[in-house]
Amino acid sequence: MANLPRHARYDQMFPVLEPRDIERLMRFGTNVTYDAGTRLVTTGGLAPGFVLLLSGEIEVSQRTALGQRQAIVTYGAGQFTGELAQLSDRPSLVDVDVIQDTSAFLIAPDRLRDVLVQEAALGERIMRALILRRTNLLELSAGGPVILGRSDSADVLRLQGFLRRSVQPHRVLDLNRDPDAAALVERFHIDVHHLPIVLCPSGKILRNPGENELARCLGLVRRTDDNKLYDVAIVGSGPAGLAAAVYAASEGLSTIVLDCRAFGGQAGASSRIENYLGFPTGISGLALMARAYNQAQKFGVEMAIPDEVRCLGLEQDGASPTFRLEVGDGNRVRAQTVVIASGARYRRLNLANIAQFEGASVHYWASPIEARLCEGKEVALVGAGNSAGQAAVYLASQVAKVWLLVRGACLASSMSSYLIERIQAQPNIKVVLRTEVTELLGDEGLTDVSWRNADTGEQTRRPIGHLFLLVGADPNTDWLADCGVAVDPKGFVTTGANGRHALETSLPGTFAIGDVRAGSIKRVASAVGEGAQVVAAIHEYLSQGRNLQALSKGVS
């Protein structure tokens, strides 16, 4: 029985399995018993696996920032413990305690993935419950790290944005607004000049950490096995990379995905995608990408996110080469094939002081975090593509006015018609054509934005504290320097030359998909299609290598 308020999808979140369902799971695990008072899992530690209760009771609870304990749910016979952390064998976000002598059935994390694949109907119920439980933890802000600092600080926003895009529960305590923040400062003897700090579930305190340091503290990313040889390493976890991961792993290829930020790419930052097949009412980019991320883990894809690939190397071992990806902290990943899905970097405006305002006042996406900062205010948004249109419409529902600044003479050449119609229907969106931002003003924060009309030279200055830039992106290909992968004059990876597969680069065994590929269509659906298509090319390449190895052995 749950200790939570009745949830609309309560029965899906906490299903009670029938005896016939339990019987089907018996081949995947072992019988265990736990005495009352046993702690099965401590927040920040690894769970033993998926625990299915046959009798007894187990309680799940969270610890608040001040160390107080709050019960979340109590499981009884026929119910099971766990949420998405158990699927990927990541540290627990909650405490799990046995409150009555319990007889149970234990399924290890790798065998849980076998359940999800081999028992389709039952696996679907379990997977849905794991996802809904994570969603519930997000809504409760339960079990994750606590960020202590000013809520409008650029570093707080950076950390909060990373955790949100990584679908990690967390809380932000503002020293100026939240009494608990002051209590924490006193309790841990924190110098306010060191803010922001992060209190990890394990109890460790981080002072203004980078994303990778925070991810390692939370157990999201771990050192990879230098000796393991993957069938395919995918660099980038946007729509193209995640699609390739899902199709590759579901077809039996050992797969690892690496990304230097968070999964989802630019699509994950989109407030709403309405022209993706199968979602007539639209879906947020983060929700769509989170589904893909969970789907990839279901098939056993190993995730190294955030873990930045520094360079690509090649080792010749027999008939087939082995690729070597140099990753941060001196780590490396070895694979038989590499898929380049590293997407693009957000393009910046050429303004002398723009770095001064980035993070707190200048933003490269429009999520609920940024929208809360701008609520009821005027904002400026630069861009004319679909991402800019989606952001403008989303912000218009939150702010007083959106100035949509467009360098070109019209929107029709770069934006879908449905978005143009929607923008025209919003009374608080003002489209200004043939315009470029010329100056950002302010000391500690942005206070004014100036722009100029390219035809008349007329200057406009408005009291605006938040500027959104969605002006396209440059290919993220610096890490490919000197490795033999050809790029075009703009830096996009070229494919299909000299009779190669349409997605294969100039370096045999490496493939490029999505926004990073020269000539690709910059749409989510196209990226997903290329992610699916590349797996066939990988199979073909690997089979050729195996045939060459067999031939060389036969000759010898």
Side-chain angles (χ1 to χ4, degrees), residues 229-233 248-249 251-255 319-323 334-339 501 504 508-511 534-550:
L229 180 62
Y230 295 90
D231 291 322
V232 55
E251 294 182 16
L253 299 176
S254 59
T255 306
S320 298
T322 296
F323 296 98
R334 299 170 65 246
Q336 296 189 75
T337 62
V338 172
V339 174
H501 186 279
E504 190 170 17
T510 67
F511 305 83
V534 76
V535 176
I538 291 169
H539 278 301
E540 182 180 350
Y541 173 83
L542 292 175
S543 66
Q544 289 173 351
R546 295 184 184 111
N547 290 339
L548 285 173
Q549 288 179 340

Side-chain angles (χ1 to χ4, degrees), residues 49 60 76 84 88 101 104 185 193 218 248 257 326 330 348 428 462 487:
V60 178
L84 287 176
S88 55
D101 290 349
V185 167
H193 296 98
L218 300 178
V257 174
E326 300 293 342
R348 304 168 74 184
N428 61 337
R462 297 290 304 176
V487 297

Side-chain angles (χ1 to χ4, degrees), residues 115-143:
V115 171
L116 300 179
V117 174
Q118 296 175 28
E119 294 288 342
L122 184 54
E124 180 183 345
R125 292 179 64 195
I126 293 171
M127 187 70 180
R128 182 178 293 113
L130 300 181
I131 292 171
L132 288 174
R133 291 175 188 180
R134 172 58 64 91
T135 302
N136 192 60
L137 290 176
L138 289 167
E139 292 171 352
L140 294 172
S141 298

Side-chain angles (χ1 to χ4, degrees), residues 328-343:
D329 298 331
N331 205 3
R332 65 176 55 182
V333 171
R334 299 170 65 246
Q336 296 189 75
T337 62
V338 172
V339 174
I340 301 165
S342 47

Side-chain angles (χ1 to χ4, degrees), residues 18-200:
E18 299 293 335
R20 63 178 181 275
D21 297 324
I22 296 174
E23 185 176 350
R24 296 185 72 89
L25 294 176
M26 289 297 178
R27 63 190 176 97
F28 295 97
T30 56
N31 288 297
V32 292
T33 58
Y34 301 110
D35 295 332
T38 301
R39 168 150 292 182
L40 284 184
V41 190
T42 298
T43 300
L46 294 177
F50 174 95
V51 179
L52 171 60
L53 281 71
L54 303 178
S55 65
E57 286 190 349
I58 290 178
E59 184 180 73
V60 178
S61 61
Q62 69 154 325
R63 280 175 277 168
T64 68
L66 296 176
Q68 299 165 328
R69 186 170 170 274
Q70 294 179 342
I72 296 177
V73 63
T74 302
Y75 293 119
Q79 295 185 299
F80 53 85
T81 65
E83 52 92 39
L84 287 176
Q86 278 63 65
L87 177 62
S88 55
D89 197 24
R90 294 301 194 263
S92 175
L93 297 171
V94 292
D95 294 337
V96 182
D97 295 286
V98 179
I99 57 176
Q100 287 184 7
D101 290 349
T102 294
S103 174
F105 198 72
L106 177 65
I107 300 176
D110 58 335
R111 293 293 282 159
L112 177 57
R113 287 190 287 270
D114 293 337
V115 171
L116 300 179
V117 174
Q118 296 175 28
E119 294 288 342
L122 184 54
E124 180 183 345
R125 292 179 64 195
I126 293 171
M127 187 70 180
R128 182 178 293 113
L130 300 181
I131 292 171
L132 288 174
R133 291 175 188 180
R134 172 58 64 91
T135 302
N136 192 60
L137 290 176
L138 289 167
E139 292 171 352
L140 294 172
S141 298
V146 175
I147 304 172
L148 180 60
R150 286 192 1 256
S151 57
D152 59 350
S153 157
D155 285 314
V156 169
L157 292 171
R158 172 181 59 82
L159 295 168
Q160 189 179 9
F162 167 71
L163 291 170
R164 177 182 177 272
R165 293 191 61 181
S166 300
V167 195
Q168 293 296 308
H170 62 278
R171 289 184 64 194
V172 176
L173 298 181
D174 191 317
L175 194 61
N176 299 324
R177 302 177 187 174
D178 198 314
D180 286 348
L184 284 173
V185 167
E186 183 176 350
R187 177 177 177 179
F188 291 104
H189 308 290
I190 296 168
D191 185 338
V192 294
H193 296 98
H194 292 158
L195 297 179
I197 66 164
V198 179
L199 306 178
C200 294

Side-chain angles (χ1 to χ4, degrees), residues 274-355:
E274 295 192 64
N275 57 355
Y276 188 66
L277 187 68
F279 293 91
T281 59
I283 183 171
S284 76
L286 181 58
L288 181 63
M289 292 297 97
R291 294 183 184 192
Y293 178 78
N294 294 334
Q295 191 175 16
Q297 291 189 102
K298 167 185 171 180
F299 288 115
V301 174
E302 188 173 337
M303 298 291 181
I305 305 173
D307 225 349
E308 183 176 10
V309 176
R310 305 290 175 80
C311 65
L312 172 64
L314 189 64
E315 301 172 353
Q316 190 68 38
D317 182 17
S320 298
T322 296
F323 296 98
R324 184 185 68 254
L325 296 168
E326 300 293 342
V327 188
D329 298 331
N331 205 3
R332 65 176 55 182
V333 171
R334 299 170 65 246
Q336 296 189 75
T337 62
V338 172
V339 174
I340 301 165
S342 47
R345 299 183 299 266
Y346 296 105
R347 194 172 292 156
R348 304 168 74 184
L349 294 184
N350 185 24
L351 297 171
N353 61 342
I354 191 169

